[in-house]
Amino acid sequence: MSKVSTIHENMLTRIGAILTSHVRLSNPYKIEENPEILLKQGYGIAIGSANKIRGDLNNYRRFEREFTGSITRKFAAKENDGASKATTEKQILEDAFLVAKDFELDTTLNETAITTDFVSDGGIEYVAREKDNFLMVRATFAVQYFENLNA
């Protein structure tokens, strides 16, 4: 098994431990395709692109890969209810901060990564569905790790 699979699972486990009232999304690549029950309070990790970087060590190659963490919350307020909308916005931003802070404090993901860095988030996005509406934040993390070419 590649290190990427282990890193992905470790990231999902960590986010699940931080956001205990959230559930894992079935499709972290197309958020709008998830069932509404999961979008109510959901999270997911999409595996992004990788680059080989300098720092090879014998048969180990060093890579940096992007992972995108998505967090969703149901937007229950009516369109003209600014106070309720602001409450949901604050909650989802707090969720995103808790995840970013945890990854910054323990960057090795249970010693499977060299380092995990919070890179950015795209701000709050609106996800419209048939029945309900949701807010989402996507955060990008850069993870450096070694892969053993002889494994």
Side-chain angles (χ1 to χ4, degrees), residues 14-57:
R14 290 265 297 274
I15 294 172
I18 297 162
L19 303 177
T20 57
S21 63
H22 288 60
V23 295
R24 183 174 170 181
L25 298 171
S26 57
N27 187 347
Y29 300 94
K30 291 188 175 184
I31 300 302
E32 64 281 358
E33 292 184 3
N34 285 277
E36 290 189 16
I37 190 76
L38 300 180
L39 291 171
K40 184 177 178 182
Q41 283 187 287
Y43 69 92
I45 293 285
I47 302 170
S49 62
N51 293 304
K52 181 180 168 199
I53 58 177
R54 291 181 183 226
D56 292 353
L57 181 64

Side-chain angles (χ1 to χ4, degrees), residues 39-40 72-89 91 125-127 131-136:
L39 291 171
K40 184 177 178 182
T72 62
R73 275 190 178 266
K74 183 177 178 181
F75 172 51
K78 295 183 174 141
E79 288 301 318
N80 59 355
D81 187 356
S84 293
K85 181 181 176 195
T87 298
T88 306
E89 290 172 336
Q91 289 171 330
E125 298 177 53
Y126 189 76
V127 179
K131 182 180 172 189
D132 290 312
N133 298 310
F134 304 88
L135 297 180
M136 171 181 61

